[in-house]
Amino acid sequence: DIVLTQSPALAVSLGQTATISCKTDQNVDYYGNSYIHWYQQKPGQQPKLLIYLASNLASGIPARFSGRGSGTDFTLTIDPVETDDTATYYCQQSRNLWTFGGGTKLELK
Amino acid sequence: EVQLVESGGGLVQPGRSMKLSCAASGFTFSSFPMAWVRQAPTKGLEWVASISFDGRNTYYRDSVKGRFTISRDNAKSSLYLQMDSLRSEDTSTYYCAKDDGYNNYFDWWGQGVMVTVSS
């Protein structure tokens, strides 16, 4: 199984930049694509797709969200952070079956 | 608009069975793979099982192999998860998710259904 590692929590001030990392224990690139996707989950709600294939913004997602990375190191950036962004963020790989990272809880300072 | 509505959850004793259903609408169900993802209370997301668009191919996480069966009825636009020999560690909210069909990310999710395994 491919293991994805995320930091458990991050605190950022309103209007600042949040950078959430996701590291995989195996390369998730294949034929020019990185099979890493990002989801946002607010308390009591289902997850919502934010970014697919490492850097592509999902439909309806604000441009404040962006993703980058390749190989085994990936980041989700929120710039600037708004109040509504307090949530838990998960990375997921689909290179070999499916696994999720443990999630990063974003809080406001 | 895509809608995924799960049903069939509740309280069940260890060792017993339960079947979850997911009613899909707003897209051509028969054209897309589907999946079940679960989340134990206060824990993270965990992929459970996936099924190809035509139902011919199924995939499971190791901890549920031989106990859970994913299936679909394309004529009814419905996805199912038959859960047998349930254990306390299967206690979770179970989400039905639509696979994009090409890069295998989950672009739509249901609201989830709670399954509690307890005596």
Side-chain angles (χ1 to χ4, degrees):
Chain A
D1 290 8
I2 298 177
V3 176
L4 285 67
T5 302
Q6 298 180 245
S7 298
L10 177 66
V12 178
S13 300
L14 201 62
Q16 298 303 303
T17 301
T19 302
I20 297 170
S21 72
C22 175
K23 296 183 186 297
T24 64
D25 69 344
Q26 299 177 40
N27 192 317
V28 294
D29 292 351
Y30 188 69
Y31 280 97
N33 285 324
S34 296
Y35 286 83
I36 280 289
H37 321 294
W38 290 94
Y39 302 86
Q40 177 194 64
Q41 187 180 34
K42 297 179 180 179
Q45 296 185 17
Q46 68 268 53
K48 180 169 70 174
L49 177 70
L50 296 176
I51 300 283
Y52 63 94
L53 294 176
S55 60
N56 296 277
L57 203 61
S59 176
I61 302 303
R64 303 184 291 104
F65 292 88
S66 63
R68 62 179 299 168
S70 66
T72 60
D73 288 284
F74 300 90
T75 56
L76 171 70
T77 300
I78 311 170
D79 182 24
V81 169
E82 296 184 358
T83 305
D84 189 52
D85 299 335
T86 53
T88 300
Y89 294 84
Y90 294 92
C91 58
Q92 177 227 341
Q93 68 82 23
S94 61
R95 176 65 182 89
N96 183 5
L97 296 182
W98 298 263
T99 46
F100 290 89
T104 298
K105 187 174 184 178
L106 179 64
E107 298 174 329
L108 293 181
K109 284 183 184 175
Chain B
E1 180 183 322
V2 172
Q3 285 201 341
L4 300 169
V5 180
E6 301 94 337
S7 60
L11 176 64
V12 61
Q13 293 180 329
R16 303 298 291 263
S17 299
M18 177 174 278
K19 186 173 185 177
L20 304 181
S21 299
C22 171
S25 61
F27 65 104
T28 305
F29 181 76
S30 59
S31 296
F32 294 91
M34 297 291 294
W36 288 98
V37 176
R38 69 184 179 185
Q39 185 171 36
T42 74
K43 301 298 184 183
L45 300 172
E46 183 175 83
W47 169 75
V48 175
S50 287
I51 187 167
S52 60
F53 71 98
D54 57 2
R56 292 185 179 183
N57 297 297
T58 57
Y59 310 87
Y60 300 92
R61 68 178 302 104
D62 286 347
S63 62
V64 308
K65 275 182 189 174
R67 299 189 301 122
F68 288 13
T69 303
I70 187 172
S71 62
R72 64 192 297 160
D73 184 335
N74 285 343
K76 295 182 178 180
S77 294
S78 292
L79 176 72
Y80 306 101
L81 185 67
Q82 175 68 43
M83 304 183 292
D84 300 323
S85 303
L86 281 161
R87 306 167 180 169
S88 58
E89 54 265 37
D90 296 319
T91 294
S92 289
T93 295
Y94 285 75
Y95 295 100
C96 165
K98 173 185 170 289
D99 187 305
D100 85 294
Y102 192 69
N103 297 303
N104 300 126
Y105 53 84
F106 303 135
D107 53 3
W108 292 95
W109 298 64
Q111 84 288 350
V113 63
M114 184 67 197
V115 173
T116 303
V117 184
S118 175
S119 54

